Amino acid sequence: MAASPTIRVQNEDFHLQTEIDRLVAGRTDIGAVVTFSGLCRDDGGSLNALELEHYPGMAEAEMRRIAELAIARFSLQGLTAIHRFGKIAPGENIVLVIAASRHRQAAFDGANFVMDFLKTAAPFWKKEHLADGSTGGWVSAKDADDKARDKWR
Amino acid sequence: MAASPTIRVQNEDFHLQTEIDRLVAGRTDIGAVVTFSGLCRDDGGSLNALELEHYPGMAEAEMRRIAELAIARFSLQGLTAIHRFGKIAPGENIVLVIAASRHRQAAFDGANFVMDFLKTAAPFWKKEHLADGSTGGWVSAKDADDKARDKWR
Amino acid sequence: MKVKLVYFAWVRERIDKPEEEIELPDAVVTAGDLLRHLKTLGDGYEAALQYPEVIRVAVNQEHVDHDEPIAGAREIGIFPPMTGG
Amino acid sequence: MKVKLVYFAWVRERIDKPEEEIELPDAVVTAGDLLRHLKTLGDGYEAALQYPEVIRVAVNQEHVDHDEPIAGAREIGIFPPMTGG
């Protein structure tokens, strides 16, 4: 039976260790766990926060669809994907993906696959709020993200 | 200036969240953190423990060499590699690698690269202790691990 | 056909409402037809849908291409390319 | 040349000691020469080094190929392929 993914879209922060523990607790059939955390970055010191908007309902549904594709494709033992919305300050968490599998490459590929599709297909949008109080506008989608996704074809 | 890796070889367990926090605390230039945890797996229920032997001194030195290659190759912002030794029961942690970078693919590649070289070049050996009290012998090296390493050529 | 439209990100900002119910003319068959129709409804719609080729459409919360029919839609989402993750 | 040898995993078990200091004949120049020499020292060594091509050698805690010279070595590690991670 295929593993059932844990999907959450939430305003509050997540706790990586809690989520890993939930995935592997009491199991001895998992040999590899890969986590990806995406954080709000601010190289120049000009960003006050990112504001994450999402399409409620569809965001969860797309994340679940992507997660189930990854579980089937890489025979994952477990998968968790959590995406935050609302205002997120530099250094804070935005997204978490955890993939658990027997062998290491499947866990790496599973988490990487989910991130590539989540970037390009899950309905979330980022708006910049700058340190000077102005709005930096909406973050543009990147061709590089489409290319990263297309490596899984 | 290149990031300096954190390398540890230890008997006691590690705590993933503590290690991530140590790597990213107070920083806003990190956009992606990938962790790999390798766990002692026991599909059939026949394993009592793995015993990890290592070459003290050389184990740390090899891990540091691999970590520094990864930092340079993928422009990582931070890297942590921890490997346990001694008896490890099914479900317990064996190894942890954390790679931090600006963008997600570098963090995935950095952690994956370190694991592939750690498997094939860091002087650790696994011996099986079976549930029936006997010794299952030393785990054999796998061709698949050499092939995984060679993908970075 | 009456349908609920939901807008996100700068599409929402330019149309200046998060959602609305509208009555669609019979000539609107595909997602692309819908975008072309909305563009005629005023300056905000015109600004939001100026480059319809970049706009994404979801019917009942599933992505559709612009040439797909929207018949049977209860809710249609209209938004820019996604930038989450 | 006098050198400290350290053994690991099943090489250690078969030779039945974790380390020793030995005096090497002048004819032992490379890592491969060393393995061939050790193999003549008794049954345990013979069993440990039966298939020398799979054995790994480290000079002063750095991997070397079998055709590399071991001159200047203070410590030489001899062990099977690694299986950590």
Side-chain angles (χ1 to χ4, degrees):
Chain A
M1 199 190 69
S4 175
T6 297
I7 304 296
R8 296 210 307 274
V9 175
Q10 62 189 40
N11 176 243
E12 63 271 24
D13 198 7
F14 48 77
H15 191 254
L16 193 151
Q17 187 79 51
T18 306
E19 300 303 330
I20 287 199
D21 292 348
R22 185 171 301 174
L23 206 54
V24 307
R27 297 183 68 157
T28 58
D29 60 337
I30 291 174
V33 178
V34 168
T35 76
F36 175 88
S37 310
L39 291 85
C40 177
R41 191 163 51 86
D42 173 31
D43 286 329
S46 61
L47 188 72
N48 185 44
L50 284 177
E51 186 174 354
L52 268 287
E53 179 170 336
H54 74 296
Y55 186 164
M58 183 174 171
E60 291 87 341
E62 272 299 300
M63 287 169 65
R64 184 171 303 277
R65 190 183 63 80
I66 295 164
E68 286 172 350
L69 281 176
I71 288 169
R73 178 161 174 169
F74 304 105
S75 301
L76 301 178
Q77 313 279 87
L79 193 113
T80 296
I82 302 174
H83 203 303
R84 295 180 65 195
F85 61 82
K87 278 205 180 177
I88 295 177
E92 279 190 62
N93 290 312
I94 297 172
V95 61
L96 173 66
V97 172
I98 309 179
S101 61
R102 285 195 159 70
H103 301 292
R104 72 184 184 287
Q105 196 57 46
F108 274 117
D109 287 344
N112 198 339
F113 175 98
V114 168
M115 277 309 302
D116 283 343
F117 279 85
L118 200 150
K119 278 255 172 195
T120 50
F124 291 89
W125 301 270
K126 292 193 184 100
K127 187 177 191 169
E128 294 182 335
H129 292 270
L130 302 184
D132 65 9
S134 70
T135 290
W138 294 90
V139 172
S140 295
K142 294 186 197 71
D143 286 346
D145 287 330
D146 289 336
K147 277 192 193 128
R149 177 200 59 204
D150 292 344
K151 74 174 179 264
W152 302 104
R153 290 244 167 105
Chain B
M1 200 189 67
S4 175
T6 297
I7 304 295
R8 295 209 309 275
V9 175
Q10 63 190 37
N11 175 243
E12 64 271 25
D13 198 8
F14 49 77
H15 191 253
L16 194 151
Q17 187 79 51
T18 305
E19 301 303 331
I20 287 202
D21 291 348
R22 186 172 297 173
L23 206 56
V24 307
R27 297 183 67 158
T28 58
D29 61 336
I30 291 173
V33 178
V34 168
T35 75
F36 176 87
S37 309
L39 290 85
C40 176
R41 192 162 50 86
D42 173 32
D43 285 329
S46 60
L47 189 72
N48 186 43
L50 284 177
E51 186 175 355
L52 267 288
E53 178 170 337
H54 74 297
Y55 187 165
M58 182 173 171
E60 291 86 342
E62 272 298 300
M63 286 169 66
R64 184 171 303 278
R65 190 183 65 78
I66 296 164
E68 286 172 351
L69 280 176
I71 288 170
R73 177 161 174 168
F74 303 106
S75 301
L76 301 179
Q77 313 279 85
L79 193 111
T80 296
I82 302 173
H83 204 302
R84 295 180 65 194
F85 61 82
K87 277 207 180 174
I88 295 177
E92 279 191 63
N93 290 312
I94 297 173
V95 61
L96 173 66
V97 172
I98 310 179
S101 62
R102 284 193 160 71
H103 301 291
R104 73 185 182 285
Q105 195 57 45
F108 275 115
D109 288 344
N112 199 340
F113 175 99
V114 168
M115 278 308 302
D116 283 342
F117 280 85
L118 202 150
K119 279 254 170 195
T120 51
F124 291 88
W125 301 271
K126 292 192 184 101
K127 187 177 192 170
E128 293 181 336
H129 293 270
L130 301 184
D132 65 8
S134 69
T135 290
W138 294 90
V139 172
S140 296
K142 292 187 197 72
D143 287 345
D145 288 330
D146 289 335
K147 278 194 192 127
R149 177 200 59 205
D150 292 344
K151 74 174 179 261
W152 302 104
R153 289 241 167 110
Chain C
M1 183 174 99
K2 198 161 193 150
V3 69
K4 179 183 174 188
L5 301 178
V6 291
Y7 308 122
F8 295 97
W10 51 257
V11 169
R12 173 182 53 71
E13 287 183 341
R14 291 178 192 175
I15 292 178
D16 203 21
K17 48 188 130 179
E19 59 178 74
E20 62 185 321
E21 286 222 333
I22 67 167
E23 185 67 39
L24 294 182
D26 290 345
V28 171
V29 175
T30 67
D33 293 341
L34 171 63
L35 297 181
R36 279 184 289 275
H37 171 67
L38 288 174
K39 211 173 155 183
T40 67
L41 299 187
D43 289 351
Y45 295 91
E46 169 82 41
L49 305 174
Q50 189 177 4
Y51 303 105
E53 61 278 11
V54 306
I55 299 296
R56 308 300 175 97
V57 180
V59 170
N60 300 338
Q61 307 197 346
E62 286 189 28
H63 294 293
V64 297
D65 289 331
H66 287 194
D67 59 2
E68 289 186 65
I70 57 171
R74 298 175 305 276
E75 177 179 298
I76 300 183
I78 299 175
F79 42 79
M82 287 69 82
T83 57
Chain D
M1 183 174 103
K2 198 161 193 151
V3 70
K4 179 183 174 190
L5 301 178
V6 290
Y7 307 124
F8 295 97
W10 52 257
V11 170
R12 172 183 55 70
E13 286 184 341
R14 292 178 192 176
I15 292 177
D16 203 22
K17 48 187 130 180
E19 59 179 74
E20 61 184 322
E21 284 223 332
I22 68 166
E23 185 68 36
L24 294 182
D26 291 344
V28 171
V29 174
T30 65
D33 293 341
L34 171 64
L35 297 181
R36 278 184 290 276
H37 171 68
L38 289 174
K39 208 171 155 182
T40 67
L41 298 186
D43 288 351
Y45 295 92
E46 170 82 41
L49 305 173
Q50 189 178 4
Y51 303 105
E53 62 278 9
V54 308
I55 300 295
R56 308 300 174 97
V57 180
V59 169
N60 300 338
Q61 306 195 348
E62 285 190 28
H63 293 292
V64 298
D65 289 332
H66 286 194
D67 59 1
E68 289 186 65
I70 58 171
R74 299 176 305 276
E75 177 179 301
I76 300 183
I78 298 176
F79 42 79
M82 287 71 80
T83 56

